[in-house]
Amino acid sequence: MKKYFGIALAISIAILAGCNEESAQAKQQTKTTSAQATVAEQPAPSKSLVVFYSQTGSTKKVADVFQKARNADIFEIKTATPYPSTYDSTVAAVRVQRESKQWPALVNAKADLAKYDTVYLGYPIMFGSFAPPIYSFLDSNDLSGKVVVPFCTYGSGGRKASANELKTLEPGANVTLAYGISNKRINAEGADSIVAAEVETFFANLAEGKTEEMLMGGYSEQRPLTAEDSAVFAAATKDYGYLSLRPLSVSTQVVAGTNFLFTCEMKAFGGPATQTNVKIFRPLPGRGEPELIVVEK
Ligand SMILES: Cc1cc2nc3c(=O)[nH]c(=O)nc-3n(C[C@H](O)[C@H](O)[C@H](O)COP(=O)(O)O)c2cc1C
């Protein structure tokens, strides 16, 4: 009896041991499979980085759209001393920085750019080009060999001028077309979906290798203004009195709505007269009012 009990005990222990071994193996297998799954599920590390500076939050909104659209990493440039809180005193501070070329110290001057091949560089336009913290960033980082996609927000314009300055300052980088949007449009109600769609179109244009000239395709010849053109111009520029714009001629491009390109005389802030192009978009009937897209030299 004792012997049988002993044998039965031995068998039970062996079975139990076997079970344990099996379950240990099963556990090990599960662990390995889930570890493999975790590795497989992890998205590949992003090869693109959104770098931006934003004083009052408008450029940050665009940076967030770019970051989501490209699944990019993000790096916000921060100045050691923030600009003053009012517009006029910021203008004064930026004027001093530009005149002395003393660019502001940054909290995070250096970004680890080695692992990225594309940098989306965002900034507000200040005095016709990028905000001073961008100069500080460019001084501390090497963008050569990278694709650099500029984007900006502005009161009236500066997209092309700032992208051109970037090309001059970073000759080793492949600076692409730039995206730009006015602070009025980015902060308007319902802007999120409009901006996301616009940014998608921008990426499609980039992917197709479109140039500024190609984007201008489909415009008619410049012609004298009709009463309708004048009404569109007046409606879209009513908040831009400080530019003293006088439309001289216009051309149009039919999209889902109409783009108007007015050649204008401008006396910004009462300064000397210069010639400029003002782009205005008029949506399809019943879809909203004409809006100023950009003022460009
Ligand atoms: C000092 C200063 C200078 C500016 N200069 C220009 C300019 O030359 N042209 C323009 O269109 N907007 C200009 N702006 C308007 C800003 O570009 C615009 O408000 C921008 O959307 C701010 O972006 P943020 O909210 O990301 O800081 C200027 C704003 C400031 C504060």
Side-chain angles (χ1 to χ4, degrees):
M1 182 64 188
K2 230 179 171 180
K3 193 173 157 198
Y4 287 127
F5 179 73
I7 292 169
L9 190 69
I11 293 172
S12 314
I13 290 170
I15 292 173
L16 271 176
C19 284
N20 281 346
E21 208 170 284
E22 271 171 33
S23 68
Q25 270 175 3
K27 262 191 204 153
Q28 186 57 40
Q29 247 173 13
T30 326
K31 257 192 185 168
T32 318
T33 332
S34 65
Q36 279 165 349
T38 320
V39 169
E41 279 161 18
Q42 261 175 8
S46 180
K47 293 236 178 230
S48 48
L49 179 69
V50 172
V51 174
F52 74 100
Y53 170 72
S54 181
Q55 190 208 357
T56 55
S58 297
T59 311
K60 182 179 184 336
K61 288 187 182 179
V62 186
D64 289 341
V65 174
F66 270 60
Q67 189 270 323
K68 281 199 197 90
R70 298 282 101 174
N71 196 20
D73 293 339
I74 195 153
F75 180 96
E76 178 169 4
I77 297 171
K78 294 217 160 111
T79 52
T81 312
Y83 285 112
S85 55
T86 66
Y87 174 78
D88 286 347
S89 43
T90 303
V91 167
V94 171
R95 180 169 286 124
V96 170
Q97 290 173 345
R98 288 195 75 90
E99 281 169 4
S100 62
K101 291 205 175 2
Q102 293 288 307
W103 308 124
L106 304 181
V107 174
N108 50 353
K110 208 147 173 55
D112 180 10
L113 298 179
K115 55 186 171 176
Y116 301 106
D117 42 38
T118 304
V119 174
Y120 300 98
L121 184 62
Y123 44 82
I125 297 294
M126 292 187 176
F127 287 58
S129 194
F130 15 85
I134 298 297
Y135 294 95
S136 315
F137 179 83
L138 297 179
D139 281 348
S140 306
N141 294 277
D142 183 9
L143 290 177
S144 48
K146 313 278 178 203
V147 174
V148 178
V149 184
F151 63 93
C152 60
T153 67
Y154 48 76
S156 58
R159 179 186 71 93
K160 279 195 211 166
S162 60
N164 285 339
E165 184 168 9
L166 197 53
K167 282 181 195 160
T168 310
L169 294 180
E170 296 293 330
N174 173 6
V175 180
T176 68
L177 276 183
Y179 173 77
I181 184 165
S182 72
N183 55 9
K184 189 172 174 194
R185 293 184 68 234
I186 187 92
N187 291 308
E189 211 175 301
D192 290 4
S193 55
I194 293 169
V195 174
E198 231 174 70
V199 167
E200 277 313 312
T201 306
F202 171 71
F203 286 134
N205 288 337
L206 272 189
E208 288 169 32
K210 292 223 171 123
T211 58
E212 292 288 351
E213 292 71 31
M214 287 158 116
L215 293 179
M216 294 308 291
Y219 272 92
S220 64
E221 290 289 303
Q222 285 279 327
R223 56 172 171 72
L225 270 65
T226 63
E228 189 188 348
D229 299 323
S230 298
V232 166
F233 187 84
T237 58
K238 62 180 187 303
D239 296 334
Y240 295 84
Y242 61 92
L243 296 177
S244 301
L245 291 162
R246 190 165 67 86
L248 306 171
S249 61
V250 66
S251 70
T252 53
Q253 180 195 45
V254 178
V255 285
T258 308
N259 282 323
F260 292 77
L261 195 64
F262 290 92
T263 300
C264 297
E265 179 196 83
M266 176 170 80
K267 290 181 185 165
F269 302 100
T274 52
Q275 191 153 312
T276 185
N277 292 322
V278 176
K279 186 171 167 189
I280 288 169
F281 173 67
R282 181 180 63 186
L284 291 168
R287 301 264 181 98
E289 292 303 307
E291 54 184 359
L292 185 141
I293 303 298
V294 71
V295 177
E296 250 160 10
K297 291 212 175 85

